[in-house]
Amino acid sequence: MDKIRNTILNFRDERNWKLYHKEKDLAISISLEANELLENFQWKSSEEAVRDSKQNIKEEMADILIYLVQLADKLDIDLEEEVLEKMKKNAQKYPVQKG
């Protein structure tokens, strides 16, 4: 996760974009990119979408992560830590059903 985070933040900083990246705008960008991801699946089965648009799906997923990492940086949130904590909560909320 550190390599991804550092690459994204260095790219942003080399272009002096940080001052334009307000929390609201980053959150909006995450939503917009998520909708662009959804467009790949509109009016298609999952199989068709993956077959026809896998490269674009990968790129939209990357865009979502890029904006999410920047928002986490802006809010001083350790995403890796938060994901691991959320997974613990999810494990309690949704225990494995055996048998």
Side-chain angles (χ1 to χ4, degrees):
M1 187 72 184
D2 285 339
K3 181 179 178 183
I4 291 170
R5 182 181 180 280
N6 291 338
T7 300
I8 292 167
L9 298 181
N10 286 338
F11 182 91
R12 176 202 65 195
D13 293 346
E14 288 170 350
R15 288 154 181 81
N16 296 316
W17 288 351
K18 187 175 183 177
L19 70 131
Y20 304 109
H21 289 178
K22 305 297 182 204
E23 297 85 347
K24 170 190 68 78
D25 299 314
L26 292 168
I28 289 169
S29 294
I30 292 166
S31 180
L32 293 172
E33 295 297 341
N35 284 301
E36 289 180 18
L37 173 63
L38 282 172
E39 280 185 319
N40 291 286
F41 294 92
Q42 186 177 26
W43 312 120
K44 299 177 184 178
S45 68
S46 291
E47 295 78 16
E48 289 172 314
V50 171
R51 182 191 67 229
D52 298 343
S53 305
K54 188 161 185 182
Q55 182 60 38
N56 192 259
I57 290 167
K58 293 188 311 185
E59 290 174 9
E60 297 304 341
M61 291 172 67
D63 285 340
I64 294 164
L65 182 58
I66 289 165
Y67 281 118
L68 186 59
V69 165
Q70 291 178 88
L71 181 58
D73 179 68
K74 185 79 172 174
L75 296 172
D76 196 28
I77 294 171
D78 182 329
L79 272 179
E80 185 173 6
E81 180 181 313
E82 293 304 320
V83 167
L84 295 174
E85 286 301 312
K86 181 63 176 173
M87 291 306 296
K88 287 179 191 175
K89 288 181 181 180
N90 287 347
Q92 291 175 347
K93 188 174 182 179
Y94 306 105
V96 174
Q97 301 295 320
K98 305 246 177 174

